Amino acid sequence: IGSRRRETCRGDTWDCRPPDVVVWPRSVEEVSALAKICHRHRLPIVPFGTGTGLEGGVGAVKGGVCFSLRKMDRVLDLHQEDFDVTVEPGVTRKALNSYLRDTGLWFPVDPGADASLCGMAATSASGTNAVRYGTMRENVLNLEVVLADGTVLHTAGEGRRPRKTSAGYNLTNLFVGSEGTLGVLTKATLRLYGIPELMVSTVCSFPSVQAAVDSTVQVLQAGIPIARIEFLDDVMMDACNRFSGLSYAVSPTLFLEFHGSEKSLEEQVTITEDITRGNGGSDFSWAQDAETRGQLWKARHDAWYAALALRPGCKAYATDVCVPISLLPHIIVETKKDLTENRLTGPIAGHVGDGNFHCLMVLDPDDPDEVQRVHQFTERLARRALSLNGTCTGEHGVGLGKRALLQEEVGPLAIDVMRRLKATLDPENLMNPGKIL
Amino acid sequence: IGSRRRETCRGDTWDCRPPDVVVWPRSVEEVSALAKICHRHRLPIVPFGTGTGLEGGVGAVKGGVCFSLRKMDRVLDLHQEDFDVTVEPGVTRKALNSYLRDTGLWFPVDPGADASLCGMAATSASGTNAVRYGTMRENVLNLEVVLADGTVLHTAGEGRRPRKTSAGYNLTNLFVGSEGTLGVLTKATLRLYGIPELMVSTVCSFPSVQAAVDSTVQVLQAGIPIARIEFLDDVMMDACNRFSGLSYAVSPTLFLEFHGSEKSLEEQVTITEDITRGNGGSDFSWAQDAETRGQLWKARHDAWYAALALRPGCKAYATDVCVPISLLPHIIVETKKDLTENRLTGPIAGHVGDGNFHCLMVLDPDDPDEVQRVHQFTERLARRALSLNGTCTGEHGVGLGKRALLQEEVGPLAIDVMRRLKATLDPENLMNPGKIL
Ligand SMILES: Cc1cc2nc3c(=O)[nH]c(=O)nc-3n(C[C@H](O)[C@H](O)[C@H](O)COP(=O)(O)OP(=O)(O)OC[C@H]3O[C@@H](n4cnc5c(N)ncnc54)[C@H](O)[C@@H]3O)c2cc1C
Ligand SMILES: Cc1cc2nc3c(=O)[nH]c(=O)nc-3n(C[C@H](O)[C@H](O)[C@H](O)COP(=O)(O)OP(=O)(O)OC[C@H]3O[C@@H](n4cnc5c(N)ncnc54)[C@H](O)[C@@H]3O)c2cc1C
């Protein structure tokens, strides 16, 4: 249990809530049998994927039983011609993609961390590729779910995998994003995509946040099917340079990736370069072969660790607001001012093509004043996003820390509806209690 | 009421169930006030968009009050830079697109009929463009809903329109596809897309169903971002030729459309032509300017009327199964055999890029034997789709006629969960009773 205890803490900056017991079921039958025991004894059930969630979702705030799903790690039912696959809940994004390596297919949703695909479904995750390929909401076709009483639900019917359906209520998307509060996901049927003929990545730095974000908006308006468009601010670039021994300009920067055939890439890149130059962007630095692209994206994916390395011994917490894209420059500029005024370390990295960005708050957990300032800052930031018709969480979920903000975001009736749905499916409040609502 | 009576019947082949009263509210406040009256008096509420639904969804099987929403027809809150717009429930697809004409934006989901956008949300509609742009599930960002008790819910929070969110349960997609059984949709916030630089349409005929569908699968596998890929069988082509005075080959045919820049179109078309030729397809006949494209698609969109014209005085009913694409040739071939064996008129048209196709059953409603044969045929067809891991309805919804099939499709526990959700949101069963469940 000792080592699990650490794991269940990973995502939760503020507190560590170990469960009373951890179980490692190997099959849906075992999950169901265990859930029935928990149900009989009124024990909370806390599903655990890979523990990379950032909102304390796996904290056992009411004790109970942690269902670690990593021993259920088989890839089932790959249908190459139909672009779909079914996975058990312990299969991670990287494991699936290496399984798929020789098929010409891949699963593009990429939260950076090597998260479990069912954990990703549970948090409605997205990440760098969502601007092109959508989030988990758009890419889950069916789910097998063990409900609080141990019964086994197939959200779209057992084994069904049509690419679209209008058959009754969309139960699949009720469970996507439910953060373990409605049931344990024990299987997910996912959409796959053909691996593009070519992928090219580039980095481009800008004189200002406005210039970088204006470029993003214009790229989208030009209808360029950009695969990734990621923003890093000057502070984040500085941190990445230090952490990874790089020498990028310390200014607002876009990391971009284009997918397609040679001709289509040429065109996408030409138009994009026109746009970025028009906004005072630097020349592109390129990466085409898998290795160089890997290095380039490693810098982006290591942003979290680079931020942490700014202040050794500190902890990090990522904010996650998302606003309509035209409002991004405004909110990012305001937010950077807020950070400076409040003497906070919060390098910014964002999936700006979706209007989503993170301040990676690095703080000393033993400094109550700083903890307090970070807390107030994150609330101000979330309210700023709400005042711009945005959301307090674009992809990390509500978990423990954003329950009050969720209420402000959706209003009392929507909260009431969510509570009623929860009570309908889990009347004893055994499934991951204390989360979301 | 006389003329409304006809309207409420349009979608329902088998039966006509007029409501006791029709109301034409002009605002959400009026919808809410009227719903409260219905709630107090336990009167069923039947939402009515444009009545183009094909599953008898607007039939008032328990009488009650039909809420016709066509007087709420304003386009609200267009945000060009953010690619979103909010519409009242009387706004139709065509009305929105003409409103958008000068903005460079459009809303692509296209069920052929000029349906209301909230009606399309209610049925989880899709149509010809879904293979590229998704269905209503992927394109609704937020909904305003009047619940059975007259309270007004905003599924993602009032006014919110981030492109993605992980904020609590996905209420938006619970109401998308709910066919009026959970509430009256009084506003929808939709995703918009940039109008592509160029659109080119073509028609290509094939020696066999297998050849046409194999081409479809290969086009998708080649990663071509095809905008439309529609299949019409020989019987359907013959009907279209007769109805619209055309002279297409009477054989299995694909109607295709490509969207993009000149270069990207060139490439898409070249690869597609290679694929279709490899499968014995004819040379492409082309349409590029809006008018010629319009004519070409008119033939496709008139398929319903062309089918009806095969037997004047008869009625039509469209089946709507959807299967994994690799199984399409098999099911279409089997289904054509079944049609012939049972002496039924059922030309086939389908959104084959999604694995979805319709038999447009033309039948004499006064011939009980034929009615019976059609009924048995549609059940066999649905079960054939279910046996291939598909769905009995890809886009039309369950309505009245497919309730038993829905049970077979999703199983008793999913039905029970759907029933519990319905009971939670509409405990008196006032919202469009008798549909879906
Ligand atoms: C460095 C780093 C970068 C990240 N970047 C991104 C990003 O760009 N985009 C993004 O979306 N996220 C990002 N994340 C967050 C995280 O990777 C995602 O939230 C991921 O989806 C969590 O998956 P997991 O398997 O680790 O879930 P866990 O952390 O194990 O659990 C998360 C929540 O889901 C529930 N859950 C997990 N598995 C199941 C299941 N099988 N059934 C029911 N409920 C379950 C848990 O109870 C918990 O509430 C990042 C995390 C890190 C550490
Ligand atoms: C020729 C023809 C071709 C078609 N092709 C396609 C196709 O390719 N793809 C496709 O998906 N569909 C197709 N359809 C079906 C139809 O157009 C769609 O089902 C459409 O979404 C119905 O919209 P409507 O506004 O007409 O809804 P209605 O027919 O008025 O209602 C349909 C259902 O939705 C409910 N509803 C309507 N408005 C609301 C509201 N505001 N709030 C709550 N509930 C509401 C009704 O109660 C009913 O249950 C076609 C129809 C025709 C006639």
Side-chain angles (χ1 to χ4, degrees):
Chain A
I1 296 242
S3 86
R4 311 300 305 169
R5 193 177 283 237
R6 260 202 20 253
E7 257 177 301
T8 54
C9 307
R10 203 192 297 169
D12 189 357
T13 327
W14 313 106
D15 209 349
C16 173
R17 313 287 184 91
D20 298 311
V21 186
V22 181
V23 293
W24 286 271
R26 292 179 180 276
S27 66
V28 59
E29 291 76 18
E30 285 187 14
V31 174
S32 168
L34 287 162
K36 282 181 180 152
I37 295 172
C38 291
H39 190 246
R40 198 173 321 125
H41 298 281
R42 302 287 180 266
L43 294 173
I45 294 173
V46 184
F48 187 99
T50 51
T52 69
L54 298 172
E55 290 298 338
V58 295
V61 290
K62 301 204 170 168
V65 183
C66 171
F67 281 50
S68 174
L69 299 154
R70 59 177 55 174
K71 297 212 167 153
M72 293 171 69
D73 61 355
R74 286 175 308 164
V75 176
L76 311 164
D77 297 330
L78 168 62
H79 297 101
Q80 276 183 246
E81 287 213 308
D82 299 321
F83 302 83
D84 67 60
V85 70
T86 299
V87 295
E88 289 189 335
V91 176
T92 67
R93 175 178 76 76
K94 286 188 185 167
L96 175 61
N97 280 324
S98 48
Y99 183 93
L100 293 173
R101 190 168 293 146
D102 299 324
T103 63
L105 299 174
W106 70 316
F107 183 70
V109 183
D110 171 12
D114 188 22
S116 76
L117 292 153
C118 285
M120 288 165 59
T123 58
S124 201
S126 40
T128 55
N129 286 309
V131 64
R132 167 85 168 253
Y133 299 96
T135 72
M136 291 306 281
R137 288 187 173 193
E138 289 82 30
N139 288 296
V140 180
L141 296 173
N142 201 347
L143 289 169
E144 180 185 79
V145 188
V146 174
L147 299 179
D149 61 3
T151 50
V152 182
L153 172 72
H154 294 268
T155 55
E158 190 166 357
R160 314 244 162 261
R161 52 190 182 84
R163 283 171 69 87
K164 67 178 196 190
T165 169
S166 288
Y169 303 148
N170 185 344
L171 300 183
T172 305
N173 269 312
L174 182 60
F175 284 90
V176 170
S178 63
E179 302 186 38
T181 64
L182 300 179
V184 184
L185 314 183
T186 49
K187 247 182 228 163
T189 302
L190 306 170
R191 254 182 203 241
L192 300 174
Y193 294 79
I195 295 178
E197 200 179 315
L198 287 173
M199 305 192 186
V200 179
S201 305
T202 107
V203 177
C204 179
S205 62
F206 291 86
S208 67
V209 173
Q210 183 85 39
V213 179
D214 282 354
S215 302
T216 306
V217 173
Q218 290 161 24
V219 164
L220 296 178
Q221 277 170 343
I224 296 171
I226 194 132
R228 291 170 154 171
I229 184 160
E230 295 284 303
F231 170 82
L232 280 71
D233 78 346
D234 51 342
V235 185
M236 191 74 249
M237 288 307 293
D238 189 35
C240 287
N241 280 344
R242 287 171 198 225
F243 184 74
S244 309
L246 303 166
S247 51
Y248 287 119
V250 177
S251 55
T253 300
L254 290 179
F255 283 57
L256 306 112
E257 190 162 279
F258 305 91
H259 293 176
S261 66
E262 198 169 328
K263 268 197 199 160
S264 117
L265 283 198
E266 246 177 60
E267 195 175 50
Q268 292 184 43
V269 168
T270 312
I271 304 175
T272 305
E273 261 188 317
D274 274 358
I275 290 172
T276 53
R277 286 220 186 95
N279 288 297
S282 69
D283 287 344
F284 283 179
S285 50
W286 290 102
Q288 182 157 354
D289 60 297
E291 199 182 327
T292 327
R293 276 196 304 110
Q295 277 165 12
L296 187 152
W297 285 104
K298 191 166 182 321
R300 166 65 189 89
H301 278 151
D302 281 347
W304 176 264
Y305 307 101
L308 265 175
L310 285 174
R311 295 176 59 190
C314 283
K315 280 192 157 195
Y317 172 77
T319 67
D320 182 37
V321 300
C322 184
V323 297
I325 45 174
S326 68
L327 303 169
L328 262 180
H330 174 74
I331 190 172
I332 293 182
V333 168
E334 289 276 298
T335 300
K336 285 181 70 75
K337 214 161 60 184
D338 191 345
L339 285 167
T340 314
E341 281 170 12
N342 289 285
R343 293 164 293 122
L344 293 171
T345 312
I348 292 178
H351 315 301
V352 282
D354 302 312
N356 182 209
F357 71 93
H358 312 298
C359 298
L360 305 180
M361 306 306 300
V362 185
L363 68 159
D364 177 356
D366 298 325
D367 176 347
D369 177 64
E370 188 179 9
V371 169
Q372 170 79 345
R373 274 181 291 128
V374 167
H375 184 71
Q376 288 169 345
F377 165 83
T378 58
E379 300 233 314
R380 272 196 307 280
L381 172 53
R383 297 215 170 93
R384 201 174 291 133
L386 295 185
S387 75
L388 299 174
N389 298 323
T391 173
C392 69
T393 177
E395 56 178 25
H396 294 167
V398 173
L400 276 175
K402 291 190 198 128
R403 288 170 299 163
L405 287 166
L406 178 67
Q407 303 201 2
E408 292 179 37
E409 178 166 333
V410 300
L413 181 56
I415 291 289
D416 179 52
V417 168
M418 290 183 194
R419 287 222 170 97
R420 284 191 264 159
L421 298 178
K422 163 77 174 172
T424 298
L425 291 169
D426 177 20
E428 316 285 347
N429 191 21
L430 299 178
M431 288 303 318
N432 210 359
K435 311 301 162 59
I436 300 185
L437 294 169
Chain B
I1 296 244
S3 85
R4 313 299 306 170
R5 195 176 281 237
R6 263 200 19 254
E7 256 178 301
T8 53
C9 306
R10 203 190 298 169
D12 191 357
T13 328
W14 313 106
D15 208 348
C16 172
R17 313 287 183 93
D20 299 310
V21 187
V22 181
V23 294
W24 286 271
R26 291 179 180 274
S27 65
V28 59
E29 291 76 20
E30 286 187 13
V31 174
S32 166
L34 287 162
K36 281 180 180 154
I37 295 172
C38 292
H39 191 245
R40 198 172 321 127
H41 298 282
R42 302 288 180 265
L43 294 173
I45 294 174
V46 184
F48 187 100
T50 51
T52 69
L54 298 172
E55 289 299 338
V58 296
V61 290
K62 302 205 167 164
V65 183
C66 171
F67 281 49
S68 174
L69 299 154
R70 58 176 59 175
K71 297 213 168 154
M72 293 172 68
D73 62 354
R74 286 176 307 164
V75 176
L76 309 165
D77 297 331
L78 169 63
H79 297 101
Q80 276 183 246
E81 286 214 309
D82 299 322
F83 302 81
D84 67 61
V85 70
T86 299
V87 296
E88 289 190 333
V91 177
T92 66
R93 175 178 77 75
K94 286 188 185 167
L96 176 61
N97 281 324
S98 46
Y99 182 92
L100 293 173
R101 190 169 292 146
D102 299 323
T103 63
L105 299 173
W106 71 316
F107 184 71
V109 183
D110 172 11
D114 188 21
S116 77
L117 292 153
C118 285
M120 288 165 60
T123 58
S124 202
S126 40
T128 55
N129 287 309
V131 63
R132 165 86 169 253
Y133 299 96
T135 73
M136 291 306 280
R137 288 187 172 193
E138 289 84 29
N139 288 295
V140 180
L141 296 173
N142 202 347
L143 290 169
E144 180 184 79
V145 188
V146 174
L147 299 178
D149 60 4
T151 51
V152 182
L153 171 72
H154 295 267
T155 54
E158 190 167 357
R160 313 243 161 262
R161 52 191 183 84
R163 283 169 70 88
K164 67 178 196 190
T165 170
S166 289
Y169 304 149
N170 185 344
L171 300 183
T172 305
N173 270 313
L174 182 60
F175 285 89
V176 170
S178 62
E179 303 187 38
T181 64
L182 300 179
V184 184
L185 313 183
T186 49
K187 247 181 229 163
T189 302
L190 306 170
R191 254 181 203 242
L192 300 174
Y193 295 79
I195 295 178
E197 200 178 315
L198 287 173
M199 305 192 186
V200 180
S201 305
T202 104
V203 176
C204 180
S205 60
F206 291 86
S208 67
V209 173
Q210 183 85 39
V213 180
D214 282 353
S215 302
T216 306
V217 173
Q218 289 161 24
V219 164
L220 295 178
Q221 277 170 344
I224 295 172
I226 194 130
R228 291 168 154 171
I229 185 159
E230 296 284 303
F231 171 81
L232 280 72
D233 78 346
D234 51 341
V235 185
M236 190 74 251
M237 288 306 293
D238 189 35
C240 287
N241 280 344
R242 287 169 199 228
F243 183 74
S244 308
L246 302 166
S247 51
Y248 287 119
V250 177
S251 56
T253 300
L254 290 178
F255 284 58
L256 305 114
E257 190 163 279
F258 304 91
H259 293 176
S261 65
E262 199 169 328
K263 269 197 199 160
S264 116
L265 283 199
E266 247 176 60
E267 195 175 50
Q268 292 183 44
V269 169
T270 312
I271 304 173
T272 305
E273 260 187 317
D274 274 358
I275 291 172
T276 54
R277 286 221 185 95
N279 289 297
S282 69
D283 286 345
F284 283 179
S285 51
W286 290 103
Q288 181 157 355
D289 60 297
E291 200 182 327
T292 327
R293 276 196 303 114
Q295 277 165 14
L296 186 151
W297 285 104
K298 191 166 181 321
R300 166 64 188 89
H301 279 150
D302 281 348
W304 177 263
Y305 307 100
L308 265 175
L310 285 173
R311 294 175 60 190
C314 283
K315 279 192 157 194
Y317 172 78
T319 67
D320 182 38
V321 300
C322 184
V323 298
I325 45 176
S326 68
L327 304 169
L328 263 179
H330 173 74
I331 190 171
I332 293 183
V333 169
E334 290 276 298
T335 299
K336 284 180 72 74
K337 214 161 61 186
D338 192 345
L339 285 166
T340 313
E341 281 170 13
N342 289 285
R343 294 162 292 120
L344 293 170
T345 312
I348 292 179
H351 315 301
V352 282
D354 302 313
N356 182 209
F357 70 93
H358 313 297
C359 298
L360 305 180
M361 305 306 300
V362 185
L363 67 159
D364 176 357
D366 299 325
D367 177 345
D369 177 62
E370 188 178 11
V371 170
Q372 169 80 348
R373 274 181 293 129
V374 167
H375 183 72
Q376 288 168 345
F377 165 83
T378 57
E379 300 233 316
R380 272 196 306 280
L381 172 53
R383 297 217 169 91
R384 200 174 292 134
L386 295 184
S387 76
L388 300 174
N389 298 323
T391 173
C392 67
T393 177
E395 55 179 26
H396 294 167
V398 173
L400 275 175
K402 292 189 198 130
R403 287 169 300 165
L405 287 166
L406 178 68
Q407 303 200 3
E408 291 179 37
E409 177 165 334
V410 300
L413 181 56
I415 291 288
D416 179 53
V417 168
M418 290 184 196
R419 288 221 169 97
R420 284 190 262 159
L421 298 179
K422 163 78 173 170
T424 298
L425 291 170
D426 177 19
E428 316 285 346
N429 192 21
L430 299 178
M431 289 302 321
N432 210 0
K435 311 301 163 58
I436 300 184
L437 293 169

